[in-house]
Amino acid sequence: MTTPPAPSPATALPDAAWLSRRPLPGWLQSVLLFLFRQASAGLFAGIILAALLITSAIWQDDWALARYDFLVLLAVGVQVLLIATRLETWDEARVILLFHLTGTVMEWFKVHAGSWSYPEPGVLKAFDVPLFTGFMYASVGSYIARAFRLFGAVIAPYPPFWASVVLAVAIYVNFFAHHWLPDIRLALFAATLLLFWRTRMWFSLRHWHFMPFPLAALLIAFALWVAENIGTFSGTWIYHGQGSFELVPLSKMGSWYLLFFVSFTTVTLVMRDSLRRAPFSPGC
């Protein structure tokens, strides 16, 4: 969905200026901009996923350093490098720290509840969970925060902020509580639609574009499901009862869809400039 061109911080980025000087059709410029900025926003996640696949293929049991420990050191090193080269801002780094904490807590609980396991040895573990797992959750927050900046994103009309926080807390608590209490995820799915049914995610390429916010959440959930299959294919973690080369059930997309709202709200605890209570009209 497209509207006429409008000023935006994202349209002033060097990639837009470079492409505008190329003899390319306008639609192709927009597609290339979208792909380039998506890849840039997902840089941290892409490095982590590539590391899972490469290390799974080459790592030997008799090497001095365990694969899980290498992944911890790699994630920390990449994080330092991104900040040092200013590819990541300090606000984005704070988002990653929040995700690392909340994600690690969930990992501890889910592993001990028997939902999945990490079968390989490692020294840099806590409660049977390798410390790099927090960075996998953090990569989702990193993607959202970087996409805000790279696409000049505007989320409008955004519901009352307190309501989005209550929803995120309810989703997060349900990930734990459904082991003992009735699972309320169907009610939470409905709550996401009721709360965000008017909300659009605006982003700028050569022109302003938008999509319904729940649709954006669903597309990101699908991308996370694909990433999760890369994790299980590489043997980095294994779901209870999952066979070799067996796809993660599509039903897991529902969990990722809900987790997106937790992730998005966590980002907005640090970065709230993209949220608008009133409907957004480009050029106004």
Side-chain angles (χ1 to χ4, degrees), residues 42-212:
L43 178 62
F44 186 60
I47 292 172
I48 297 298
L49 288 175
L52 296 185
L53 287 173
I54 293 170
T55 57
S56 174
I58 68 172
W59 217 262
Q60 302 298 316
D61 293 339
D62 59 353
W63 286 8
L65 185 66
R67 182 168 80 104
Y68 285 170
D69 295 340
F70 171 79
L71 290 171
V72 175
L73 298 176
L74 175 70
V76 172
V78 169
Q79 184 64 75
V80 171
L81 183 63
L82 289 176
I83 293 175
T85 56
R86 298 184 180 180
L87 288 174
E88 188 172 271
T89 68
W90 281 106
D91 276 347
E92 291 162 4
R94 283 194 286 270
V95 165
I96 285 177
L97 177 60
L98 283 174
F99 271 88
H100 202 291
L101 296 173
T102 57
T104 299
V105 170
M106 184 180 294
E107 285 289 323
W108 289 342
F109 178 85
K110 289 293 188 179
V111 165
H112 285 275
S115 298
W116 58 80
S117 62
Y118 293 89
E120 298 179 27
V123 174
L124 301 177
K125 278 186 169 184
F127 305 106
D128 297 324
V129 175
L131 296 182
F132 74 84
T133 59
F135 286 102
M136 294 191 299
Y137 286 89
S139 66
V140 179
S142 173
Y143 165 78
I144 295 172
R146 286 171 62 78
F148 274 9
R149 173 165 55 89
L150 294 171
F151 285 96
V154 175
I155 317 300
Y158 199 76
F161 186 70
W162 65 265
S164 66
V165 172
V166 169
L167 174 63
V169 170
I171 292 171
Y172 189 72
V173 169
N174 189 64
F175 280 128
F176 297 85
H178 80 84
H179 288 274
W180 305 288
L181 301 174
D183 191 345
I184 62 168
R185 70 180 58 202
L186 291 180
L188 293 171
F189 287 139
T192 65
L193 297 177
L194 288 172
L195 199 58
F196 291 98
W197 72 275
R198 294 178 57 240
T199 305
R200 294 174 173 179
M201 177 178 286
W202 292 87
F203 57 97
S204 178
L205 299 169
R206 296 174 60 254
H207 304 265
W208 280 102
H209 306 260
F210 73 86
M211 69 173 62

Side-chain angles (χ1 to χ4, degrees), residues 11 13-26 29-30 32-33 206:
T11 58
L13 290 174
D15 55 4
W18 183 85
L19 273 176
S20 67
R21 294 194 294 268
R22 305 297 101 184
L24 299 172
Q29 290 185 33
S30 292
L32 292 175
L33 273 175
R206 296 174 60 254

